[in-house]
Amino acid sequence: MTAPKFTTLGCRLNAYETEAMKELSQQAGLENAVVVNTCAVTAEAVRKARQEIRKLRRDNPDAPIIVTGCAAQTEPETFAAMEEVTRVIGNTEKMQPQTWQDIAKGPDFIGTTEKVQVDDIMSVTETAGHLIDGFGTRSRAYVQVQNGCDHRCTFCIIPYGRGNSRSVPAGVVIDQIKRLVDKGYNEVVLTGVDLTSWGADLPAQPRLGDLVMRILKLVPDLPRLRISSIDSIEADENLMQAIATEQRLMPHLHLSLQHGDDLILKRMARRHLRDDAIAFCEEARSLRPEMTFGADIIAGFPTETESHFENSLRLVTDCNLTWLHVFPYSKRVGTPAAKIPNQVNGNVIKERAARLRAVGDVQVNRHLAAQLGKTHQILMENPHMGRTEQFTEVSFAKARTEGSIVSAVITGSSATQLTA
C-alpha cells in the first residue's frame, strides 16, 4: 500500500490546505488514494481540473480519486458526473478529520455513501483550526489568517467556493508564528482570500493593521513579515503606519485592482475608483519609497471598449506597478457578469491581455535596472536563488545557505531576475 497522492491547482491558500489534508489523511490511515484540490477562479481552471483528473486516472487506474477545492464546491455535479471520480467533497468537509476517517474505511464504505459530500459553504461561520504550522520552503512559511469573502464582485465565483469571510483570532496567529520562528523560519507570509477584511467578524472588530502591529511587537525575533494580496481601498490607518515605520514588514504589496476604468470598476461592483488606486500607491510609496506593487488586472470584461482598456494600460504606469497578474476575462456561470450583454470577443480579450503583459514586462525591466548597484537583504529560497525585500528574484553563482538572509550588492540582471 502507498501513501495518498495529492495534486494542488490554484492559489497559495489551496496549497496550504493541501498540507493540512495530508496530515488529516495520514492520521486517518488513508492509503492508495489520489486527492485533487481544485481551483474555480476561471472556466479554464475548471477545464484544467477535469483534464488533470483524467490524466491521474490513467496513471492510477486502481486508486480512488477524491476531488475537493473550490471547483468541487461550486460545481459538484460536474465532477460527480465524471466516471473517473470516486468522491466529491467540499471546502468545509476537506478540513474535517471525520471526512478522511470515512474515506480511509475503503471502497466498500465509499460505495455505500453518497458520491457528493458538499454542504452549504455560506452557513460556515468559523475558519478551520490551524492544522499545520505553515508550509513552504525552508525559508518562508505561509500562515492562513482569513478565509472567505463578503464582497460580491460581479465576475467572481470564489465567495461561492469559500463562503463568507471568517478570521483566525490574533492570539492563534501569533502563537503559530512564534512556533515558526522557533523552527528557524526567517519570513512569514500572511494569506487569506480577502485579507483586508480580517477581524470584521471578531470581537471589537480589529483591522489587518492591528494584526500586523501585534505580530511585529509580540514576535520580535521574526526577521521578515510579508502580506499577500490586499484590497487597497480597505487598507486601515495602522497598516499604513506599519508600512511607514516597520522595516520588518516587507515593502511589497500585491493589490486587487482588476481594472483602470471607473465605469468598468462599477460594473464589476468594485469598491474603489481609478483615482483611489493611484492615491493609495502614491501614499504608500511616500511612506516607504522602496515600496513595489503587484496587481491583478482583468482584460476583456463585458462591455470593455478600447478606451476602457487603455485606462487599464495607463493605470500600470500611473500606479507604477511592477508585477502584473493579467487575467483574460473568463465567463463564469452563476456570476452576474456572465449575464451582461456585449461580451467581448475572445480574440480581442487575448490581444488585450497580451498588451497588458507587454507593459508589465517593461515595468519589470525598469524595476530591475533601478536595482543595479544597490545593496539588498536577500532571503535564500535555494542555494543559488533568493528574493529581495520587494520579492524580486536574485541569482547567485556561488551557493548560499538555503533559508538564510544575505546582504549582497546587485551586479546585473536578466529578463526576469537580478544577479548578485
Side-chain angles (χ1 to χ4, degrees):
M1 302 297 281
T2 58
K5 298 176 182 177
F6 285 82
T7 296
T8 305
L9 306 171
C11 68
R12 188 69 68 177
L13 191 54
N14 252 14
Y16 181 101
E17 290 171 345
T18 292
E19 295 303 309
M21 286 191 286
K22 286 179 182 177
E23 290 204 4
L24 287 171
S25 64
Q26 183 179 6
Q27 291 165 6
L30 178 64
E31 296 180 314
N32 193 34
V34 174
V35 183
V36 185
N37 199 6
T38 63
C39 172
V41 70
T42 63
E44 177 67 8
V46 178
R47 188 193 69 80
K48 286 183 176 178
R50 290 167 54 82
Q51 184 181 47
E52 182 67 18
I53 289 165
R54 288 190 285 268
K55 178 181 180 297
L56 287 167
R57 170 54 73 217
R58 291 193 297 271
D59 295 344
N60 303 273
D62 301 321
I65 294 182
I66 317 301
V67 180
T68 186
C70 288
Q73 182 70 46
T74 58
E75 300 183 32
E77 65 288 342
T78 295
F79 296 95
M82 296 181 69
E83 62 180 18
E84 296 89 350
V85 174
T86 310
R87 175 75 75 89
V88 181
I89 59 176
N91 267 336
T92 300
E93 290 74 18
K94 75 182 183 183
M95 305 303 277
Q96 295 173 343
Q98 187 63 50
T99 299
W100 298 100
Q101 292 165 16
D102 289 345
I103 292 172
K105 292 176 183 177
D108 292 339
F109 177 82
I110 292 177
T112 63
T113 60
E114 291 187 17
K115 188 173 184 178
V116 176
Q117 191 178 350
V118 179
D119 288 341
D120 177 14
I121 195 84
M122 295 302 176
S123 65
V124 179
T125 58
E126 293 183 359
T127 301
H130 281 265
L131 303 170
I132 55 169
D133 277 343
F135 82 100
T137 63
R138 285 162 55 189
S139 57
R140 179 181 297 110
Y142 296 82
V143 173
Q144 180 188 352
V145 303
Q146 183 274 340
N147 203 345
C149 184
D150 291 337
H151 307 303
R152 296 295 180 265
C153 299
T154 59
F155 56 83
C156 188
I157 198 76
I158 297 304
Y160 307 99
R162 288 286 176 179
N164 292 316
S165 180
R166 293 97 69 198
S167 307
V168 178
V172 176
V173 174
I174 288 165
D175 286 347
Q176 186 182 18
I177 292 174
K178 286 179 177 177
R179 292 195 297 272
L180 291 167
V181 172
D182 288 344
K183 289 181 177 180
Y185 284 99
N186 279 323
E187 183 174 295
V188 165
V189 185
L190 304 183
T191 68
V193 173
D194 181 30
L195 204 55
T196 34
S197 71
W198 179 89
D201 57 324
L202 297 176
Q205 296 186 320
R207 304 291 299 276
L208 179 63
D210 302 321
L211 177 63
V212 167
M213 294 293 252
R214 285 188 66 181
I215 291 169
L216 292 169
K217 178 181 178 181
L218 298 176
V219 195
D221 295 336
L222 172 66
R224 293 162 65 133
L225 179 66
R226 197 177 288 279
I227 299 173
S228 59
S229 180
I230 68 165
D231 204 337
S232 58
I233 198 67
E234 294 183 336
D236 61 278
E237 187 176 338
N238 265 352
L239 183 57
M240 303 311 289
Q241 179 73 9
I243 289 171
T245 63
E246 296 288 353
Q247 289 299 305
R248 290 185 294 146
L249 178 63
M250 294 296 96
H252 167 253
L253 292 172
H254 190 83
L255 309 178
S256 179
L257 297 183
Q258 309 305 349
H259 211 275
D261 184 86
D262 285 349
L263 180 60
I264 299 297
L265 287 167
K266 288 179 180 178
R267 288 174 178 166
M268 288 178 164
R270 299 293 296 162
R271 295 165 303 287
H272 73 274
L273 297 175
R274 173 192 183 84
D275 285 349
D276 297 322
I278 295 170
F280 172 82
C281 292
E282 289 177 347
E283 181 185 2
R285 200 171 272 115
S286 71
L287 297 172
R288 194 85 173 268
E290 68 271 32
M291 180 66 73
T292 61
F293 301 106
D296 296 331
I297 300 181
I298 295 173
F301 186 82
T303 76
E304 181 189 76
T305 64
E306 179 64 21
S307 175
H308 296 146
F309 173 71
E310 286 174 358
N311 279 332
S312 278
L313 280 180
R314 282 194 293 271
L315 186 72
V316 176
T317 49
D318 287 347
C319 287
N320 195 13
L321 305 175
T322 300
W323 317 110
L324 296 190
H325 285 185
V326 176
F327 293 89
Y329 172 74
S330 175
K331 188 175 180 180
R332 303 295 285 115
V333 175
T335 62
K339 299 176 183 177
I340 296 176
N342 300 322
Q343 299 277 324
V344 179
N345 177 275
N347 290 329
V348 174
I349 293 175
K350 289 180 181 178
E351 184 262 342
R352 289 176 181 171
R355 286 162 65 192
L356 266 173
R357 292 189 181 105
V359 171
D361 290 342
V362 171
Q363 290 293 100
V364 170
N365 290 336
R366 190 171 293 165
H367 170 72
L368 295 177
Q371 307 312 309
L372 296 181
K374 291 185 178 179
T375 300
H376 281 286
Q377 305 304 310
I378 298 159
L379 179 69
M380 299 305 299
E381 293 189 358
N382 62 55
H384 292 281
M385 194 280 284
R387 290 187 189 266
T388 69
E389 303 90 335
Q390 290 96 344
F391 213 61
T392 310
E393 284 191 11
V394 184
S395 66
F396 292 81
K398 183 180 177 182
R400 304 293 200 279
T401 303
E402 183 177 344
S404 65
I405 296 175
V406 300
S407 182
V409 177
I410 303 304
T411 56
S413 66
S414 63
T416 58
Q417 64 178 199
L418 300 168
T419 54

mmCIF file with all atom_site columns, all heavy atoms in Angstrom, residues 348-365:
data_model
loop_
_atom_site.group_PDB
_atom_site.id
_atom_site.type_symbol
_atom_site.label_atom_id
_atom_site.label_alt_id
_atom_site.label_comp_id
_atom_site.label_asym_id
_atom_site.label_entity_id
_atom_site.label_seq_id
_atom_site.pdbx_PDB_ins_code
_atom_site.Cartn_x
_atom_site.Cartn_y
_atom_site.Cartn_z
_atom_site.occupancy
_atom_site.B_iso_or_equiv
_atom_site.pdbx_formal_charge
_atom_site.auth_seq_id
_atom_site.auth_comp_id
_atom_site.auth_asym_id
_atom_site.auth_atom_id
_atom_site.pdbx_PDB_model_num
ATOM 1   N N   . VAL A 1 348 ? -10.187 39.342 -29.083 1.00 0.00 ? 348 VAL A N   1
ATOM 2   C CA  . VAL A 1 348 ? -9.885  40.689 -28.572 1.00 0.00 ? 348 VAL A CA  1
ATOM 3   C C   . VAL A 1 348 ? -9.375  40.600 -27.136 1.00 0.00 ? 348 VAL A C   1
ATOM 4   O O   . VAL A 1 348 ? -8.412  41.287 -26.759 1.00 0.00 ? 348 VAL A O   1
ATOM 5   C CB  . VAL A 1 348 ? -11.134 41.591 -28.659 1.00 0.00 ? 348 VAL A CB  1
ATOM 6   C CG1 . VAL A 1 348 ? -10.874 42.944 -27.989 1.00 0.00 ? 348 VAL A CG1 1
ATOM 7   C CG2 . VAL A 1 348 ? -11.545 41.794 -30.106 1.00 0.00 ? 348 VAL A CG2 1
ATOM 8   N N   . ILE A 1 349 ? -10.004 39.724 -26.343 1.00 0.00 ? 349 ILE A N   1
ATOM 9   C CA  . ILE A 1 349 ? -9.562  39.549 -24.953 1.00 0.00 ? 349 ILE A CA  1
ATOM 10  C C   . ILE A 1 349 ? -8.109  39.086 -24.913 1.00 0.00 ? 349 ILE A C   1
ATOM 11  O O   . ILE A 1 349 ? -7.285  39.624 -24.160 1.00 0.00 ? 349 ILE A O   1
ATOM 12  C CB  . ILE A 1 349 ? -10.473 38.537 -24.221 1.00 0.00 ? 349 ILE A CB  1
ATOM 13  C CG1 . ILE A 1 349 ? -11.884 39.110 -24.048 1.00 0.00 ? 349 ILE A CG1 1
ATOM 14  C CG2 . ILE A 1 349 ? -9.882  38.176 -22.855 1.00 0.00 ? 349 ILE A CG2 1
ATOM 15  C CD1 . ILE A 1 349 ? -12.879 38.128 -23.447 1.00 0.00 ? 349 ILE A CD1 1
ATOM 16  N N   . LYS A 1 350 ? -7.765  38.091 -25.735 1.00 0.00 ? 350 LYS A N   1
ATOM 17  C CA  . LYS A 1 350 ? -6.389  37.584 -25.758 1.00 0.00 ? 350 LYS A CA  1
ATOM 18  C C   . LYS A 1 350 ? -5.404  38.672 -26.169 1.00 0.00 ? 350 LYS A C   1
ATOM 19  O O   . LYS A 1 350 ? -4.315  38.797 -25.584 1.00 0.00 ? 350 LYS A O   1
ATOM 20  C CB  . LYS A 1 350 ? -6.287  36.398 -26.724 1.00 0.00 ? 350 LYS A CB  1
ATOM 21  C CG  . LYS A 1 350 ? -6.959  35.129 -26.234 1.00 0.00 ? 350 LYS A CG  1
ATOM 22  C CD  . LYS A 1 350 ? -6.797  34.011 -27.252 1.00 0.00 ? 350 LYS A CD  1
ATOM 23  C CE  . LYS A 1 350 ? -7.491  32.743 -26.794 1.00 0.00 ? 350 LYS A CE  1
ATOM 24  N NZ  . LYS A 1 350 ? -7.392  31.658 -27.806 1.00 0.00 ? 350 LYS A NZ  1
ATOM 25  N N   . GLU A 1 351 ? -5.785  39.473 -27.164 1.00 0.00 ? 351 GLU A N   1
ATOM 26  C CA  . GLU A 1 351 ? -4.899  40.534 -27.653 1.00 0.00 ? 351 GLU A CA  1
ATOM 27  C C   . GLU A 1 351 ? -4.676  41.601 -26.581 1.00 0.00 ? 351 GLU A C   1
ATOM 28  O O   . GLU A 1 351 ? -3.554  42.070 -26.369 1.00 0.00 ? 351 GLU A O   1
ATOM 29  C CB  . GLU A 1 351 ? -5.511  41.148 -28.917 1.00 0.00 ? 351 GLU A CB  1
ATOM 30  C CG  . GLU A 1 351 ? -4.662  42.208 -29.591 1.00 0.00 ? 351 GLU A CG  1
ATOM 31  C CD  . GLU A 1 351 ? -5.101  43.611 -29.213 1.00 0.00 ? 351 GLU A CD  1
ATOM 32  O OE1 . GLU A 1 351 ? -6.237  43.777 -28.728 1.00 0.00 ? 351 GLU A OE1 1
ATOM 33  O OE2 . GLU A 1 351 ? -4.287  44.539 -29.378 1.00 0.00 ? 351 GLU A OE2 1
ATOM 34  N N   . ARG A 1 352 ? -5.750  41.954 -25.869 1.00 0.00 ? 352 ARG A N   1
ATOM 35  C CA  . ARG A 1 352 ? -5.608  42.959 -24.813 1.00 0.00 ? 352 ARG A CA  1
ATOM 36  C C   . ARG A 1 352 ? -4.790  42.421 -23.641 1.00 0.00 ? 352 ARG A C   1
ATOM 37  O O   . ARG A 1 352 ? -3.972  43.148 -23.066 1.00 0.00 ? 352 ARG A O   1
ATOM 38  C CB  . ARG A 1 352 ? -6.994  43.424 -24.344 1.00 0.00 ? 352 ARG A CB  1
ATOM 39  C CG  . ARG A 1 352 ? -7.710  44.292 -25.378 1.00 0.00 ? 352 ARG A CG  1
ATOM 40  C CD  . ARG A 1 352 ? -9.115  44.665 -24.941 1.00 0.00 ? 352 ARG A CD  1
ATOM 41  N NE  . ARG A 1 352 ? -9.756  45.482 -25.978 1.00 0.00 ? 352 ARG A NE  1
ATOM 42  C CZ  . ARG A 1 352 ? -11.042 45.833 -25.980 1.00 0.00 ? 352 ARG A CZ  1
ATOM 43  N NH1 . ARG A 1 352 ? -11.838 45.420 -24.982 1.00 0.00 ? 352 ARG A NH1 1
ATOM 44  N NH2 . ARG A 1 352 ? -11.526 46.574 -26.960 1.00 0.00 ? 352 ARG A NH2 1
ATOM 45  N N   . ALA A 1 353 ? -4.981  41.165 -23.299 1.00 0.00 ? 353 ALA A N   1
ATOM 46  C CA  . ALA A 1 353 ? -4.183  40.566 -22.227 1.00 0.00 ? 353 ALA A CA  1
ATOM 47  C C   . ALA A 1 353 ? -2.704  40.579 -22.597 1.00 0.00 ? 353 ALA A C   1
ATOM 48  O O   . ALA A 1 353 ? -1.832  40.861 -21.752 1.00 0.00 ? 353 ALA A O   1
ATOM 49  C CB  . ALA A 1 353 ? -4.650  39.141 -21.946 1.00 0.00 ? 353 ALA A CB  1
ATOM 50  N N   . ALA A 1 354 ? -2.402  40.281 -23.872 1.00 0.00 ? 354 ALA A N   1
ATOM 51  C CA  . ALA A 1 354 ? -1.006  40.293 -24.329 1.00 0.00 ? 354 ALA A CA  1
ATOM 52  C C   . ALA A 1 354 ? -0.417  41.701 -24.242 1.00 0.00 ? 354 ALA A C   1
ATOM 53  O O   . ALA A 1 354 ? 0.752   41.867 -23.857 1.00 0.00 ? 354 ALA A O   1
ATOM 54  C CB  . ALA A 1 354 ? -0.917  39.770 -25.757 1.00 0.00 ? 354 ALA A CB  1
ATOM 55  N N   . ARG A 1 355 ? -1.211  42.716 -24.569 1.00 0.00 ? 355 ARG A N   1
ATOM 56  C CA  . ARG A 1 355 ? -0.714  44.093 -24.475 1.00 0.00 ? 355 ARG A CA  1
ATOM 57  C C   . ARG A 1 355 ? -0.462  44.495 -23.021 1.00 0.00 ? 355 ARG A C   1
ATOM 58  O O   . ARG A 1 355 ? 0.528   45.180 -22.719 1.00 0.00 ? 355 ARG A O   1
ATOM 59  C CB  . ARG A 1 355 ? -1.722  45.049 -25.128 1.00 0.00 ? 355 ARG A CB  1
ATOM 60  C CG  . ARG A 1 355 ? -1.710  44.977 -26.653 1.00 0.00 ? 355 ARG A CG  1
ATOM 61  C CD  . ARG A 1 355 ? -2.958  45.555 -27.259 1.00 0.00 ? 355 ARG A CD  1
ATOM 62  N NE  . ARG A 1 355 ? -3.091  46.995 -26.999 1.00 0.00 ? 355 ARG A NE  1
ATOM 63  C CZ  . ARG A 1 355 ? -4.206  47.681 -27.232 1.00 0.00 ? 355 ARG A CZ  1
ATOM 64  N NH1 . ARG A 1 355 ? -5.287  47.053 -27.712 1.00 0.00 ? 355 ARG A NH1 1
ATOM 65  N NH2 . ARG A 1 355 ? -4.248  48.969 -26.991 1.00 0.00 ? 355 ARG A NH2 1
ATOM 66  N N   . LEU A 1 356 ? -1.325  44.053 -22.119 1.00 0.00 ? 356 LEU A N   1
ATOM 67  C CA  . LEU A 1 356 ? -1.089  44.321 -20.693 1.00 0.00 ? 356 LEU A CA  1
ATOM 68  C C   . LEU A 1 356 ? 0.196   43.661 -20.215 1.00 0.00 ? 356 LEU A C   1
ATOM 69  O O   . LEU A 1 356 ? 0.998   44.271 -19.500 1.00 0.00 ? 356 LEU A O   1
ATOM 70  C CB  . LEU A 1 356 ? -2.267  43.814 -19.855 1.00 0.00 ? 356 LEU A CB  1
ATOM 71  C CG  . LEU A 1 356 ? -3.377  44.797 -19.511 1.00 0.00 ? 356 LEU A CG  1
ATOM 72  C CD1 . LEU A 1 356 ? -4.531  44.085 -18.817 1.00 0.00 ? 356 LEU A CD1 1
ATOM 73  C CD2 . LEU A 1 356 ? -2.853  45.928 -18.615 1.00 0.00 ? 356 LEU A CD2 1
ATOM 74  N N   . ARG A 1 357 ? 0.385   42.411 -20.623 1.00 0.00 ? 357 ARG A N   1
ATOM 75  C CA  . ARG A 1 357 ? 1.598   41.694 -20.189 1.00 0.00 ? 357 ARG A CA  1
ATOM 76  C C   . ARG A 1 357 ? 2.844   42.357 -20.751 1.00 0.00 ? 357 ARG A C   1
ATOM 77  O O   . ARG A 1 357 ? 3.886   42.402 -20.077 1.00 0.00 ? 357 ARG A O   1
ATOM 78  C CB  . ARG A 1 357 ? 1.522   40.226 -20.625 1.00 0.00 ? 357 ARG A CB  1
ATOM 79  C CG  . ARG A 1 357 ? 0.444   39.440 -19.900 1.00 0.00 ? 357 ARG A CG  1
ATOM 80  C CD  . ARG A 1 357 ? 0.539   37.943 -20.187 1.00 0.00 ? 357 ARG A CD  1
ATOM 81  N NE  . ARG A 1 357 ? -0.519  37.216 -19.512 1.00 0.00 ? 357 ARG A NE  1
ATOM 82  C CZ  . ARG A 1 357 ? -1.598  36.714 -20.115 1.00 0.00 ? 357 ARG A CZ  1
ATOM 83  N NH1 . ARG A 1 357 ? -1.727  36.841 -21.437 1.00 0.00 ? 357 ARG A NH1 1
ATOM 84  N NH2 . ARG A 1 357 ? -2.528  36.073 -19.441 1.00 0.00 ? 357 ARG A NH2 1
ATOM 85  N N   . ALA A 1 358 ? 2.751   42.895 -21.977 1.00 0.00 ? 358 ALA A N   1
ATOM 86  C CA  . ALA A 1 358 ? 3.907   43.579 -22.567 1.00 0.00 ? 358 ALA A CA  1
ATOM 87  C C   . ALA A 1 358 ? 4.266   44.829 -21.776 1.00 0.00 ? 358 ALA A C   1
ATOM 88  O O   . ALA A 1 358 ? 5.443   45.104 -21.526 1.00 0.00 ? 358 ALA A O   1
ATOM 89  C CB  . ALA A 1 358 ? 3.609   43.936 -24.027 1.00 0.00 ? 358 ALA A CB  1
ATOM 90  N N   . VAL A 1 359 ? 3.258   45.590 -21.352 1.00 0.00 ? 359 VAL A N   1
ATOM 91  C CA  . VAL A 1 359 ? 3.507   46.760 -20.500 1.00 0.00 ? 359 VAL A CA  1
ATOM 92  C C   . VAL A 1 359 ? 4.101   46.309 -19.170 1.00 0.00 ? 359 VAL A C   1
ATOM 93  O O   . VAL A 1 359 ? 5.015   46.946 -18.628 1.00 0.00 ? 359 VAL A O   1
ATOM 94  C CB  . VAL A 1 359 ? 2.209   47.560 -20.284 1.00 0.00 ? 359 VAL A CB  1
ATOM 95  C CG1 . VAL A 1 359 ? 2.398   48.645 -19.230 1.00 0.00 ? 359 VAL A CG1 1
ATOM 96  C CG2 . VAL A 1 359 ? 1.741   48.190 -21.585 1.00 0.00 ? 359 VAL A CG2 1
ATOM 97  N N   . GLY A 1 360 ? 3.603   45.186 -18.653 1.00 0.00 ? 360 GLY A N   1
ATOM 98  C CA  . GLY A 1 360 ? 4.156   44.643 -17.412 1.00 0.00 ? 360 GLY A CA  1
ATOM 99  C C   . GLY A 1 360 ? 5.621   44.275 -17.547 1.00 0.00 ? 360 GLY A C   1
ATOM 100 O O   . GLY A 1 360 ? 6.428   44.519 -16.640 1.00 0.00 ? 360 GLY A O   1
ATOM 101 N N   . ASP A 1 361 ? 5.990   43.705 -18.691 1.00 0.00 ? 361 ASP A N   1
ATOM 102 C CA  . ASP A 1 361 ? 7.395   43.346 -18.929 1.00 0.00 ? 361 ASP A CA  1
ATOM 103 C C   . ASP A 1 361 ? 8.291   44.594 -18.908 1.00 0.00 ? 361 ASP A C   1
ATOM 104 O O   . ASP A 1 361 ? 9.409   44.556 -18.369 1.00 0.00 ? 361 ASP A O   1
ATOM 105 C CB  . ASP A 1 361 ? 7.545   42.630 -20.273 1.00 0.00 ? 361 ASP A CB  1
ATOM 106 C CG  . ASP A 1 361 ? 6.928   41.236 -20.263 1.00 0.00 ? 361 ASP A CG  1
ATOM 107 O OD1 . ASP A 1 361 ? 6.700   40.695 -19.154 1.00 0.00 ? 361 ASP A OD1 1
ATOM 108 O OD2 . ASP A 1 361 ? 6.678   40.699 -21.359 1.00 0.00 ? 361 ASP A OD2 1
ATOM 109 N N   . VAL A 1 362 ? 7.798   45.673 -19.503 1.00 0.00 ? 362 VAL A N   1
ATOM 110 C CA  . VAL A 1 362 ? 8.555   46.934 -19.484 1.00 0.00 ? 362 VAL A CA  1
ATOM 111 C C   . VAL A 1 362 ? 8.760   47.410 -18.051 1.00 0.00 ? 362 VAL A C   1
ATOM 112 O O   . VAL A 1 362 ? 9.852   47.847 -17.666 1.00 0.00 ? 362 VAL A O   1
ATOM 113 C CB  . VAL A 1 362 ? 7.834   48.014 -20.321 1.00 0.00 ? 362 VAL A CB  1
ATOM 114 C CG1 . VAL A 1 362 ? 8.500   49.381 -20.132 1.00 0.00 ? 362 VAL A CG1 1
ATOM 115 C CG2 . VAL A 1 362 ? 7.819   47.628 -21.796 1.00 0.00 ? 362 VAL A CG2 1
ATOM 116 N N   . GLN A 1 363 ? 7.699   47.301 -17.244 1.00 0.00 ? 363 GLN A N   1
ATOM 117 C CA  . GLN A 1 363 ? 7.789   47.739 -15.847 1.00 0.00 ? 363 GLN A CA  1
ATOM 118 C C   . GLN A 1 363 ? 8.784   46.888 -15.058 1.00 0.00 ? 363 GLN A C   1
ATOM 119 O O   . GLN A 1 363 ? 9.538   47.405 -14.224 1.00 0.00 ? 363 GLN A O   1
ATOM 120 C CB  . GLN A 1 363 ? 6.408   47.679 -15.194 1.00 0.00 ? 363 GLN A CB  1
ATOM 121 C CG  . GLN A 1 363 ? 5.420   48.711 -15.690 1.00 0.00 ? 363 GLN A CG  1
ATOM 122 C CD  . GLN A 1 363 ? 5.829   50.127 -15.307 1.00 0.00 ? 363 GLN A CD  1
ATOM 123 O OE1 . GLN A 1 363 ? 6.389   50.860 -16.121 1.00 0.00 ? 363 GLN A OE1 1
ATOM 124 N NE2 . GLN A 1 363 ? 5.563   50.505 -14.063 1.00 0.00 ? 363 GLN A NE2 1
ATOM 125 N N   . VAL A 1 364 ? 8.777   45.587 -15.315 1.00 0.00 ? 364 VAL A N   1
ATOM 126 C CA  . VAL A 1 364 ? 9.736   44.704 -14.642 1.00 0.00 ? 364 VAL A CA  1
ATOM 127 C C   . VAL A 1 364 ? 11.161  45.099 -15.015 1.00 0.00 ? 364 VAL A C   1
ATOM 128 O O   . VAL A 1 364 ? 12.048  45.216 -14.148 1.00 0.00 ? 364 VAL A O   1
ATOM 129 C CB  . VAL A 1 364 ? 9.464   43.225 -14.993 1.00 0.00 ? 364 VAL A CB  1
ATOM 130 C CG1 . VAL A 1 364 ? 10.609  42.340 -14.498 1.00 0.00 ? 364 VAL A CG1 1
ATOM 131 C CG2 . VAL A 1 364 ? 8.152   42.764 -14.374 1.00 0.00 ? 364 VAL A CG2 1
ATOM 132 N N   . ASN A 1 365 ? 11.398  45.315 -16.302 1.00 0.00 ? 365 ASN A N   1
ATOM 133 C CA  . ASN A 1 365 ? 12.743  45.700 -16.753 1.00 0.00 ? 365 ASN A CA  1
ATOM 134 C C   . ASN A 1 365 ? 13.191  47.010 -16.113 1.00 0.00 ? 365 ASN A C   1
ATOM 135 O O   . ASN A 1 365 ? 14.353  47.167 -15.731 1.00 0.00 ? 365 ASN A O   1
ATOM 136 C CB  . ASN A 1 365 ? 12.765  45.828 -18.283 1.00 0.00 ? 365 ASN A CB  1
ATOM 137 C CG  . ASN A 1 365 ? 12.633  44.478 -18.968 1.00 0.00 ? 365 ASN A CG  1
ATOM 138 O OD1 . ASN A 1 365 ? 12.963  43.442 -18.390 1.00 0.00 ? 365 ASN A OD1 1
ATOM 139 N ND2 . ASN A 1 365 ? 12.143  44.482 -20.199 1.00 0.00 ? 365 ASN A ND2 1
#
